[in-house]
Tab-separated table of all heavy atoms in Angstrom:
chain	number	residue	atom	x	y	z
L	1	ARG	N	-10.657	-52.110	-50.545
L	1	ARG	CA	-11.547	-53.223	-50.875
L	1	ARG	C	-11.297	-54.477	-50.029
L	1	ARG	O	-12.034	-55.441	-50.124
L	1	ARG	CB	-11.438	-53.574	-52.362
L	1	ARG	CG	-10.145	-54.208	-52.801
L	1	ARG	CD	-10.219	-54.657	-54.257
L	1	ARG	NE	-10.219	-53.515	-55.147
L	1	ARG	CZ	-9.183	-53.192	-55.924
L	1	ARG	NH1	-8.089	-53.930	-55.916
L	1	ARG	NH2	-9.241	-52.150	-56.710
L	2	ASP	N	-10.259	-54.436	-49.195
L	2	ASP	CA	-9.918	-55.602	-48.375
L	2	ASP	C	-10.430	-55.381	-46.954
L	2	ASP	O	-9.783	-54.740	-46.130
L	2	ASP	CB	-8.395	-55.803	-48.376
L	2	ASP	CG	-7.973	-57.132	-47.780
L	2	ASP	OD1	-8.623	-57.579	-46.818
L	2	ASP	OD2	-6.981	-57.709	-48.275
L	3	LEU	N	-11.617	-55.939	-46.646
L	3	LEU	CA	-12.263	-55.680	-45.364
L	3	LEU	C	-11.476	-56.255	-44.187
L	3	LEU	O	-11.429	-55.656	-43.104
L	3	LEU	CB	-13.688	-56.236	-45.376
L	3	LEU	CG	-14.640	-55.591	-46.387
L	3	LEU	CD1	-16.027	-56.200	-46.267
L	3	LEU	CD2	-14.711	-54.077	-46.188
L	4	GLU	N	-10.852	-57.411	-44.372
L	4	GLU	CA	-10.060	-57.995	-43.299
L	4	GLU	C	-8.849	-57.123	-42.998
L	4	GLU	O	-8.483	-56.911	-41.832
L	4	GLU	CB	-9.620	-59.406	-43.671
L	4	GLU	CG	-8.654	-60.064	-42.691
L	4	GLU	CD	-9.175	-60.166	-41.269
L	4	GLU	OE1	-10.406	-60.131	-41.068
L	4	GLU	OE2	-8.343	-60.267	-40.344
L	5	TYR	N	-8.225	-56.600	-44.038
L	5	TYR	CA	-7.096	-55.694	-43.856
L	5	TYR	C	-7.532	-54.434	-43.106
L	5	TYR	O	-6.836	-53.954	-42.203
L	5	TYR	CB	-6.502	-55.329	-45.209
L	5	TYR	CG	-5.476	-54.242	-45.158
L	5	TYR	CD1	-4.173	-54.493	-44.747
L	5	TYR	CD2	-5.805	-52.933	-45.520
L	5	TYR	CE1	-3.233	-53.479	-44.683
L	5	TYR	CE2	-4.869	-51.918	-45.465
L	5	TYR	CZ	-3.586	-52.201	-45.048
L	5	TYR	OH	-2.664	-51.191	-44.989
L	6	LEU	N	-8.699	-53.893	-43.458
L	6	LEU	CA	-9.200	-52.702	-42.783
L	6	LEU	C	-9.505	-52.987	-41.311
L	6	LEU	O	-9.278	-52.137	-40.448
L	6	LEU	CB	-10.457	-52.185	-43.496
L	6	LEU	CG	-10.237	-51.617	-44.905
L	6	LEU	CD1	-11.574	-51.260	-45.541
L	6	LEU	CD2	-9.324	-50.398	-44.879
L	7	ARG	N	-10.009	-54.186	-41.031
L	7	ARG	CA	-10.274	-54.553	-39.645
L	7	ARG	C	-8.970	-54.598	-38.846
L	7	ARG	O	-8.893	-54.087	-37.722
L	7	ARG	CB	-10.973	-55.917	-39.588
L	7	ARG	CG	-11.392	-56.326	-38.172
L	7	ARG	CD	-11.667	-57.799	-38.073
L	7	ARG	NE	-10.477	-58.602	-38.324
L	7	ARG	CZ	-9.484	-58.760	-37.454
L	7	ARG	NH1	-9.517	-58.139	-36.278
L	7	ARG	NH2	-8.442	-59.514	-37.740
L	8	ARG	N	-7.932	-55.200	-39.434
L	8	ARG	CA	-6.646	-55.264	-38.756
L	8	ARG	C	-6.055	-53.859	-38.572
L	8	ARG	O	-5.417	-53.566	-37.561
L	8	ARG	CB	-5.674	-56.155	-39.535
L	8	ARG	CG	-6.134	-57.594	-39.675
L	8	ARG	CD	-5.016	-58.544	-40.100
L	8	ARG	NE	-4.154	-58.043	-41.138
L	8	ARG	CZ	-4.236	-58.373	-42.432
L	8	ARG	NH1	-5.190	-59.218	-42.839
L	8	ARG	NH2	-3.391	-57.890	-43.301
L	9	SER	N	-6.268	-52.985	-39.564
L	9	SER	CA	-5.764	-51.616	-39.466
L	9	SER	C	-6.454	-50.863	-38.331
L	9	SER	O	-5.827	-50.059	-37.630
L	9	SER	CB	-5.969	-50.876	-40.793
L	9	SER	OG	-5.189	-51.446	-41.817
L	10	GLN	N	-7.744	-51.121	-38.158
L	10	GLN	CA	-8.482	-50.497	-37.049
L	10	GLN	C	-7.875	-50.917	-35.715
L	10	GLN	O	-7.684	-50.099	-34.810
L	10	GLN	CB	-9.954	-50.912	-37.124
L	10	GLN	CG	-10.835	-50.302	-36.047
L	10	GLN	CD	-11.385	-48.947	-36.439
L	10	GLN	OE1	-11.417	-48.595	-37.613
L	10	GLN	NE2	-11.816	-48.177	-35.469
L	11	GLU	N	-7.552	-52.187	-35.592
L	11	GLU	CA	-6.944	-52.687	-34.361
L	11	GLU	C	-5.562	-52.077	-34.143
L	11	GLU	O	-5.214	-51.671	-33.027
L	11	GLU	CB	-6.839	-54.212	-34.426
L	11	GLU	CG	-6.337	-54.853	-33.159
L	11	GLU	CD	-6.291	-56.368	-33.242
L	11	GLU	OE1	-6.562	-56.931	-34.321
L	11	GLU	OE2	-5.958	-56.991	-32.216
L	12	ALA	N	-4.783	-51.992	-35.214
L	12	ALA	CA	-3.446	-51.394	-35.105
L	12	ALA	C	-3.532	-49.918	-34.743
L	12	ALA	O	-2.712	-49.402	-33.966
L	12	ALA	CB	-2.692	-51.572	-36.426
L	13	ALA	N	-4.532	-49.229	-35.296
L	13	ALA	CA	-4.713	-47.810	-34.973
L	13	ALA	C	-4.982	-47.627	-33.484
L	13	ALA	O	-4.440	-46.712	-32.849
L	13	ALA	CB	-5.857	-47.226	-35.797
L	14	GLY	N	-5.803	-48.497	-32.912
L	14	GLY	CA	-6.082	-48.419	-31.480
L	14	GLY	C	-4.828	-48.590	-30.652
L	14	GLY	O	-4.624	-47.890	-29.652
L	15	TYR	N	-3.965	-49.488	-31.085
L	15	TYR	CA	-2.702	-49.711	-30.375
L	15	TYR	C	-1.806	-48.474	-30.484
L	15	TYR	O	-1.198	-48.041	-29.487
L	15	TYR	CB	-1.987	-50.924	-30.958
L	15	TYR	CG	-0.688	-51.249	-30.272
L	15	TYR	CD1	-0.671	-51.958	-29.071
L	15	TYR	CD2	0.532	-50.832	-30.806
L	15	TYR	CE1	0.527	-52.251	-28.422
L	15	TYR	CE2	1.731	-51.114	-30.173
L	15	TYR	CZ	1.718	-51.826	-28.983
L	15	TYR	OH	2.908	-52.107	-28.342
L	16	CYS	N	-1.728	-47.896	-31.680
L	16	CYS	CA	-0.881	-46.713	-31.875
L	16	CYS	C	-1.375	-45.539	-31.043
L	16	CYS	O	-0.577	-44.813	-30.434
L	16	CYS	CB	-0.848	-46.336	-33.357
L	16	CYS	SG	0.082	-47.473	-34.398
L	17	VAL	N	-2.683	-45.330	-31.020
L	17	VAL	CA	-3.257	-44.250	-30.215
L	17	VAL	C	-2.861	-44.418	-28.750
L	17	VAL	O	-2.469	-43.456	-28.071
L	17	VAL	CB	-4.796	-44.237	-30.367
L	17	VAL	CG1	-5.438	-43.399	-29.264
L	17	VAL	CG2	-5.191	-43.704	-31.738
L	18	GLU	N	-2.960	-45.642	-28.271
L	18	GLU	CA	-2.713	-45.928	-26.861
L	18	GLU	C	-1.247	-45.791	-26.483
L	18	GLU	O	-0.912	-45.305	-25.402
L	18	GLU	CB	-3.203	-47.342	-26.552
L	18	GLU	CG	-3.146	-47.727	-25.092
L	18	GLU	CD	-3.727	-49.109	-24.843
L	18	GLU	OE1	-4.848	-49.370	-25.308
L	18	GLU	OE2	-3.038	-49.926	-24.220
L	19	THR	N	-0.351	-46.203	-27.382
L	19	THR	CA	1.073	-46.263	-27.020
L	19	THR	C	1.883	-45.063	-27.483
L	19	THR	O	2.972	-44.819	-26.950
L	19	THR	CB	1.715	-47.535	-27.587
L	19	THR	OG1	1.596	-47.546	-29.016
L	19	THR	CG2	1.039	-48.783	-27.026
L	20	LEU	N	1.387	-44.320	-28.467
L	20	LEU	CA	2.185	-43.243	-29.043
L	20	LEU	C	1.726	-41.849	-28.632
L	20	LEU	O	2.311	-40.848	-29.067
L	20	LEU	CB	2.184	-43.358	-30.577
L	20	LEU	CG	2.769	-44.660	-31.135
L	20	LEU	CD1	2.612	-44.714	-32.657
L	20	LEU	CD2	4.244	-44.807	-30.757
L	21	GLY	N	0.667	-41.770	-27.846
L	21	GLY	CA	0.251	-40.468	-27.330
L	21	GLY	C	-0.520	-39.608	-28.302
L	21	GLY	O	-0.532	-38.374	-28.172
L	22	TRP	N	-1.194	-40.220	-29.282
L	22	TRP	CA	-2.010	-39.442	-30.205
L	22	TRP	C	-3.257	-38.943	-29.490
L	22	TRP	O	-3.795	-39.601	-28.595
L	22	TRP	CB	-2.416	-40.283	-31.415
L	22	TRP	CG	-1.271	-40.788	-32.238
L	22	TRP	CD1	0.040	-40.473	-32.116
L	22	TRP	CD2	-1.355	-41.732	-33.309
L	22	TRP	NE1	0.789	-41.144	-33.040
L	22	TRP	CE2	-0.038	-41.931	-33.792
L	22	TRP	CE3	-2.400	-42.427	-33.914
L	22	TRP	CZ2	0.252	-42.794	-34.851
L	22	TRP	CZ3	-2.117	-43.291	-34.968
L	22	TRP	CH2	-0.802	-43.464	-35.429
L	23	ARG	N	-3.758	-37.787	-29.905
L	23	ARG	CA	-5.003	-37.251	-29.361
L	23	ARG	C	-6.175	-37.758	-30.203
L	23	ARG	O	-6.168	-37.638	-31.434
L	23	ARG	CB	-4.975	-35.715	-29.386
L	23	ARG	CG	-3.854	-35.099	-28.553
L	23	ARG	CD	-4.102	-35.261	-27.078
L	23	ARG	NE	-5.300	-34.546	-26.653
L	23	ARG	CZ	-5.323	-33.260	-26.324
L	23	ARG	NH1	-4.207	-32.532	-26.362
L	23	ARG	NH2	-6.444	-32.685	-25.925
L	24	VAL	N	-7.186	-38.292	-29.553
L	24	VAL	CA	-8.327	-38.868	-30.252
L	24	VAL	C	-9.454	-37.842	-30.362
L	24	VAL	O	-9.817	-37.192	-29.378
L	24	VAL	CB	-8.854	-40.126	-29.528
L	24	VAL	CG1	-10.088	-40.681	-30.240
L	24	VAL	CG2	-7.765	-41.189	-29.466
L	25	VAL	N	-9.980	-37.713	-31.579
L	25	VAL	CA	-11.156	-36.881	-31.822
L	25	VAL	C	-12.278	-37.820	-32.269
L	25	VAL	O	-12.180	-38.454	-33.323
L	25	VAL	CB	-10.884	-35.812	-32.906
L	25	VAL	CG1	-12.150	-35.010	-33.194
L	25	VAL	CG2	-9.748	-34.894	-32.479
L	26	GLU	N	-13.323	-37.922	-31.464
L	26	GLU	CA	-14.445	-38.796	-31.797
L	26	GLU	C	-15.314	-38.138	-32.868
L	26	GLU	O	-15.780	-37.011	-32.688
L	26	GLU	CB	-15.282	-39.094	-30.552
L	26	GLU	CG	-14.573	-39.961	-29.522
L	26	GLU	CD	-14.356	-41.393	-30.002
L	26	GLU	OE1	-14.968	-41.788	-31.010
L	26	GLU	OE2	-13.565	-42.100	-29.354
L	27	CYS	N	-15.526	-38.869	-33.958
L	27	CYS	CA	-16.235	-38.288	-35.103
L	27	CYS	C	-17.661	-38.805	-35.262
L	27	CYS	O	-18.385	-38.338	-36.149
L	27	CYS	CB	-15.455	-38.562	-36.389
L	27	CYS	SG	-13.816	-37.801	-36.413
L	28	CYS	N	-18.057	-39.768	-34.438
L	28	CYS	CA	-19.387	-40.368	-34.572
L	28	CYS	C	-20.210	-40.159	-33.310
L	28	CYS	O	-19.678	-40.026	-32.217
L	28	CYS	CB	-19.281	-41.867	-34.851
L	28	CYS	SG	-18.547	-42.267	-36.442
L	29	ARG	N	-21.518	-40.153	-33.518
L	29	ARG	CA	-22.461	-40.130	-32.402
L	29	ARG	C	-23.715	-40.876	-32.851
L	29	ARG	O	-24.311	-40.543	-33.886
L	29	ARG	CB	-22.823	-38.703	-31.997
L	29	ARG	CG	-23.782	-38.632	-30.809
L	29	ARG	CD	-24.259	-37.237	-30.521
L	29	ARG	NE	-23.182	-36.342	-30.160
L	29	ARG	CZ	-22.899	-35.226	-30.792
L	29	ARG	NH1	-23.605	-34.895	-31.872
L	29	ARG	NH2	-21.916	-34.447	-30.402
L	30	GLY	N	-24.081	-41.904	-32.093
L	30	GLY	CA	-25.295	-42.641	-32.410
L	30	GLY	C	-25.273	-43.317	-33.767
L	30	GLY	O	-26.314	-43.404	-34.435
L	31	GLY	N	-24.097	-43.783	-34.180
L	31	GLY	CA	-23.996	-44.490	-35.452
L	31	GLY	C	-23.923	-43.602	-36.678
L	31	GLY	O	-23.990	-44.096	-37.811
L	32	ASN	N	-23.766	-42.300	-36.479
L	32	ASN	CA	-23.647	-41.361	-37.590
L	32	ASN	C	-22.500	-40.401	-37.349
L	32	ASN	O	-22.073	-40.191	-36.202
L	32	ASN	CB	-24.951	-40.569	-37.764
L	32	ASN	CG	-26.096	-41.436	-38.214
L	32	ASN	OD1	-26.095	-41.987	-39.306
L	32	ASN	ND2	-27.104	-41.574	-37.342
L	33	MET	N	-22.020	-39.795	-38.433
L	33	MET	CA	-20.956	-38.803	-38.308
L	33	MET	C	-21.495	-37.542	-37.642
L	33	MET	O	-22.615	-37.103	-37.907
L	33	MET	CB	-20.388	-38.442	-39.687
L	33	MET	CG	-19.545	-39.514	-40.329
L	33	MET	SD	-17.940	-39.763	-39.504
L	33	MET	CE	-17.026	-38.311	-40.064
L	34	ARG	N	-20.707	-36.972	-36.753
L	34	ARG	CA	-21.000	-35.649	-36.229
L	34	ARG	C	-20.789	-34.625	-37.339
L	34	ARG	O	-20.196	-34.921	-38.373
L	34	ARG	CB	-20.092	-35.341	-35.045
L	34	ARG	CG	-20.263	-36.292	-33.875
L	34	ARG	CD	-19.140	-36.113	-32.867
L	34	ARG	NE	-19.209	-34.809	-32.221
L	34	ARG	CZ	-18.154	-34.176	-31.712
L	34	ARG	NH1	-16.939	-34.702	-31.808
L	34	ARG	NH2	-18.295	-33.007	-31.125
L	35	SER	N	-21.253	-33.412	-37.122
L	35	SER	CA	-21.107	-32.388	-38.152
L	35	SER	C	-19.642	-31.982	-38.300
L	35	SER	O	-18.836	-32.140	-37.370
L	35	SER	CB	-21.946	-31.153	-37.809
L	35	SER	OG	-21.358	-30.441	-36.725
L	36	VAL	N	-19.310	-31.458	-39.475
L	36	VAL	CA	-17.954	-30.988	-39.737
L	36	VAL	C	-17.550	-29.939	-38.704
L	36	VAL	O	-16.421	-29.948	-38.189
L	36	VAL	CB	-17.846	-30.415	-41.167
L	36	VAL	CG1	-16.513	-29.692	-41.375
L	36	VAL	CG2	-18.004	-31.522	-42.203
L	37	GLU	N	-18.464	-29.042	-38.368
L	37	GLU	CA	-18.135	-27.966	-37.432
L	37	GLU	C	-17.910	-28.482	-36.014
L	37	GLU	O	-17.028	-28.003	-35.305
L	37	GLU	CB	-19.228	-26.894	-37.447
L	37	GLU	CG	-19.095	-25.922	-38.595
L	37	GLU	CD	-17.719	-25.270	-38.655
L	37	GLU	OE1	-17.244	-24.751	-37.631
L	37	GLU	OE2	-17.100	-25.283	-39.737
L	38	GLU	N	-18.704	-29.468	-35.598
L	38	GLU	CA	-18.512	-30.033	-34.264
L	38	GLU	C	-17.133	-30.684	-34.137
L	38	GLU	O	-16.427	-30.511	-33.138
L	38	GLU	CB	-19.592	-31.070	-33.970
L	38	GLU	CG	-20.962	-30.500	-33.666
L	38	GLU	CD	-21.992	-31.593	-33.430
L	38	GLU	OE1	-21.964	-32.613	-34.142
L	38	GLU	OE2	-22.822	-31.418	-32.533
L	39	ILE	N	-16.771	-31.451	-35.160
L	39	ILE	CA	-15.463	-32.112	-35.144
L	39	ILE	C	-14.344	-31.062	-35.178
L	39	ILE	O	-13.348	-31.172	-34.461
L	39	ILE	CB	-15.345	-33.092	-36.329
L	39	ILE	CG1	-16.393	-34.209	-36.183
L	39	ILE	CG2	-13.934	-33.682	-36.406
L	39	ILE	CD1	-16.531	-35.074	-37.423
L	40	HIS	N	-14.538	-30.034	-36.002
L	40	HIS	CA	-13.536	-28.970	-36.095
L	40	HIS	C	-13.341	-28.279	-34.756
L	40	HIS	O	-12.203	-27.956	-34.371
L	40	HIS	CB	-13.948	-27.953	-37.158
L	40	HIS	CG	-13.071	-26.746	-37.214
L	40	HIS	ND1	-11.751	-26.799	-37.589
L	40	HIS	CD2	-13.313	-25.442	-36.891
L	40	HIS	CE1	-11.217	-25.588	-37.522
L	40	HIS	NE2	-12.142	-24.749	-37.107
L	41	GLU	N	-14.423	-28.044	-34.013
L	41	GLU	CA	-14.307	-27.395	-32.711
L	41	GLU	C	-13.470	-28.239	-31.754
L	41	GLU	O	-12.648	-27.712	-30.995
L	41	GLU	CB	-15.701	-27.150	-32.130
L	41	GLU	CG	-16.460	-26.041	-32.830
L	41	GLU	CD	-17.885	-25.898	-32.316
L	41	GLU	OE1	-18.225	-26.590	-31.329
L	41	GLU	OE2	-18.635	-25.095	-32.895
L	42	ASP	N	-13.660	-29.559	-31.806
L	42	ASP	CA	-12.850	-30.443	-30.954
L	42	ASP	C	-11.379	-30.410	-31.376
L	42	ASP	O	-10.477	-30.448	-30.531
L	42	ASP	CB	-13.375	-31.871	-31.028
L	42	ASP	CG	-14.655	-32.066	-30.228
L	42	ASP	OD1	-15.089	-31.109	-29.558
L	42	ASP	OD2	-15.234	-33.167	-30.292
L	43	ILE	N	-11.149	-30.348	-32.679
L	43	ILE	CA	-9.771	-30.275	-33.181
L	43	ILE	C	-9.118	-28.975	-32.719
L	43	ILE	O	-7.976	-28.973	-32.253
L	43	ILE	CB	-9.747	-30.392	-34.719
L	43	ILE	CG1	-10.044	-31.836	-35.124
L	43	ILE	CG2	-8.405	-29.930	-35.293
L	43	ILE	CD1	-10.173	-32.044	-36.615
């Protein structure tokens, strides 16, 4: 329920992805979620 906290978490997540070597799976396309199967195939 804390939107400012969620915004800061999004920023921190970007930093962690960049510095810790996490693999990114893009889940959105055109402002909507991709299908479960499409995301699963990337995973």
Side-chain angles (χ1 to χ4, degrees):
R1 70 173 71 109
D2 191 324
L3 296 182
E4 174 58 22
Y5 171 79
L6 292 175
R7 185 198 64 75
R8 299 196 317 260
S9 294
Q10 181 87 19
E11 185 178 5
Y15 181 81
C16 289
V17 164
E18 186 176 310
T19 60
L20 300 175
W22 299 352
R23 299 289 296 275
V24 177
V25 177
E26 292 292 346
C27 297
C28 294
R29 181 187 298 123
N32 293 295
M33 288 290 285
R34 298 168 67 206
S35 72
V36 170
E37 279 306 310
E38 286 178 320
I39 297 169
H40 173 66
E41 288 175 6
D42 284 356
I43 287 175

